[in-house]
Amino acid sequence: MGLSQQHQLLHSPARPLPSSLHPLLAPPSPPSAVAAVGGGGGDYPSLVIRNVHLPFDSDDPTLADPLYNVYCVAGRVDRVELATANGGGGSGHGSRHSTPEYQARDRQGAHAELDAQGRGILLPALCHAHIHLDKCFLLDQCDELVTGNFAEALRVTAKAKSAFPHNPDDLYERGRRLITESVECGVTAMRAHVEVDEAVHFACVDAGLRLQRHFRDVCHVQIAVFAQEPLFASALDERPGLNYVLLQSAVHRPGVEAVGSAPYVEPTIAHARRNIDYVFELAAERGLHVDFHLDYNLEPGAEPLLWYVLDQLRARIAHGRWRPGAHVCVGHATRLTLFGQGEWARLREALLEERLPVTLVGLPQSDLYMMGRNGAGGDAPRGTLNVPRLKEEQGIRVAMAVNNVENAFTPQGGVDPLGLCPLGVAVFQAGTKNDCRALLESVTLTARLAISGAPKGSYDPHPHPHSHSPHSHSPHSHSPYPHPSPSHTHSPFPFQSMTPTPGAPADFVLLHENDSMHAAALRPSFARTTVRQGRVVACRVARAWILPQRTPSPSPLTPGSAA
């Protein structure tokens, strides 16, 4: 049985946390908020998540083994308490088949309880740091793949894209499917790339903005207008062409929050640099985030354009041409896998000491499929950013993202960001608890940092009484960025801890069949419940059966029979 409103939940009062966990506690909520959590009405919507495991940094069983209750008020975490022995599951553990029970206390679902029944771990909600909304589920509309290489993917996708303006319903429905399945997985925020060029014009932008509005109550769909095609038509052009004019117009559409491009498709390195300049300028004019598909190669002789991006960002910050809080994503960046210690030290200085607002985003499903196809003797090197190693050796936190789903660039894989974790365990040979924590952070905390969490110009409509309290951060908090810049420190969406922190947004995914972070990374639970802004917005459960076997059937091959 899945989430059910047919069961009466127990409401025994929970006992306080032990003194070692007092920093998790926040100042008392106002009476109206407390009444809402207790079911007595009040001004704020509320949710109580009962009898769950929490992802503490420490392996100390006195922290990780007990069950907790998490109280959410007005879309934020209000407090965390130990569950009682008789409080709807208590300190015992549910059976393998225990499923959470959900009960709404009013017709609008504004006041509700979710009882995990002692089974499952509560993680920060998942985030797509980089996903293509318009090119998903497109493989069956493309010509059959022959080589599978990048040039072929560009060609067959461009042909399929030419039909987008003539079939807006298909464009919308494919995007709707992607967002729906993502929310069911536990995603509550995503950067959705929609392409703008002379073939599709604004068809993808129109569909993306419609989907943004449609799903606004269950997922923050951050629209990034994206130039996959070159801004310059040829190596002889001094000025960008129609693709740039269209991109320039698209950034002015209400609801657009980021602008990006793929400089590596330009005819020359000089044009690639100018592509970067133009995108930065568009972002500065509109106060947008920037997202570059960059350095997508494994060629030792290729110049890493990352250094040019960092130089341009420094200059714009110095001259006041960069909005505080805006962030730069660098996707793919497979060329960086060839870096030596000196280059990593240079990058570490830029990100950790200068605190430039930049996050690298590895796209392992696409990177592993595309990279290294020209290796001598059929030996294909694998190039994708090694998330656990970069955190451990360089202190650099890298996000991971799905990128594409069922198209010529990535024909395999699904929409689930958590599915990248077991892939990372194998590819990076990273199965320790610390490795698994790094992988989980890459699709939750770091992914959300990469897209800078909140919509541009957003505000909290229900300010939490201690949402910015300096005392509301746990000593177990794990910042998604080693040295957050002031703009991140004051963000209303900090997402700085794997454990629920008073004042932080109440966006979670409950993994029904995992009790630890290690298990969540190695074998993610299929069954999940998604919470956004303190409301249950999705639940995914599996139904299974097997033919009962009371008496073993006789073998079809009996002794003496002919084989």
Side-chain angles (χ1 to χ4, degrees), residues 210-480:
R210 281 182 61 201
L211 289 163
Q212 181 189 64
R213 292 190 294 270
H214 181 78
F215 284 95
R216 62 189 174 194
D217 291 334
V218 298
C219 185
H220 170 209
V221 180
Q222 185 190 81
I223 297 299
V225 291
F226 171 61
Q228 172 71 74
E229 305 299 326
L231 300 184
F232 295 86
S234 78
L236 300 178
D237 287 350
E238 291 294 325
R239 302 179 64 181
L242 179 57
N243 286 341
Y244 173 70
V245 174
L246 293 168
L247 187 66
Q248 190 177 34
S249 178
V251 299
H252 290 270
R253 298 287 293 273
V256 170
E257 299 178 53
V259 59
S261 68
Y264 54 76
V265 300
E266 296 292 351
T268 69
I269 288 293
H271 286 92
R273 293 194 190 97
R274 293 187 63 191
N275 176 306
I276 292 168
D277 294 340
Y278 277 113
V279 169
F280 264 128
E281 193 58 31
L282 290 177
E285 290 174 4
R286 299 294 299 168
L288 304 177
H289 303 296
V290 169
D291 199 308
F292 289 117
H293 296 46
L294 201 71
D295 293 334
Y296 197 20
N297 66 77
L298 289 177
E299 301 170 15
E303 173 191 344
L305 286 173
L306 175 63
W307 305 126
Y308 186 79
V309 167
L310 298 181
D311 286 342
Q312 292 304 304
L313 179 59
R314 287 187 188 97
R316 291 175 183 280
I317 291 173
H319 291 91
R321 295 286 294 162
W322 187 252
R323 176 178 67 84
H327 206 81
V328 176
C329 270
V330 175
H332 293 295
T334 53
R335 171 63 178 80
L336 277 59
T337 63
L338 306 181
F339 272 11
Q341 285 300 316
E343 291 164 301
W344 282 121
R346 178 181 173 188
L347 182 58
R348 186 172 62 246
E349 180 180 359
L351 300 185
L352 274 63
E353 297 181 24
E354 291 185 63
R355 305 182 187 180
L356 291 179
V358 177
T359 300
L360 304 178
V361 183
L363 309 172
Q365 291 186 151
S366 302
D367 298 342
L368 295 173
Y369 176 73
M370 278 296 177
M371 289 293 96
R373 288 174 174 266
N374 299 321
D379 182 17
R382 296 304 175 95
T384 192
L385 293 168
N386 190 322
V387 170
R389 180 178 296 175
L390 287 174
K391 179 187 174 185
E392 175 68 23
E393 297 181 359
Q394 307 297 336
I396 296 174
R397 297 175 188 272
V398 177
M400 286 196 302
V402 168
N403 187 29
N404 286 303
V405 181
E406 290 184 31
N407 64 25
F409 297 95
T410 317
Q412 85 293 353
V415 305
D416 185 9
L418 205 55
L420 301 177
C421 293
L423 173 64
V425 170
V427 171
F428 306 133
Q429 299 177 328
T432 70
K433 289 184 178 181
N434 284 338
D435 292 335
C436 288
R437 168 175 282 277
L439 292 168
L440 289 173
E441 288 177 349
S442 74
V443 296
T444 56
L445 305 181
T446 313
R448 204 167 289 252
L449 170 71
I451 72 169
S452 284
K456 180 173 76 77
S458 69
Y459 65 96
D460 184 358
H462 303 292
H464 195 280
H466 47 265
S467 59
H468 299 293
S469 168
H471 305 294
S472 64
H473 298 287
S474 164
H476 305 284
S477 294
H478 223 72
S479 168

Side-chain angles (χ1 to χ4, degrees), residues 103-114:
Q103 183 178 41
R105 290 179 158 185
D106 58 14
R107 301 182 68 178
Q108 293 76 30
H111 307 300
E113 294 200 3
L114 176 65

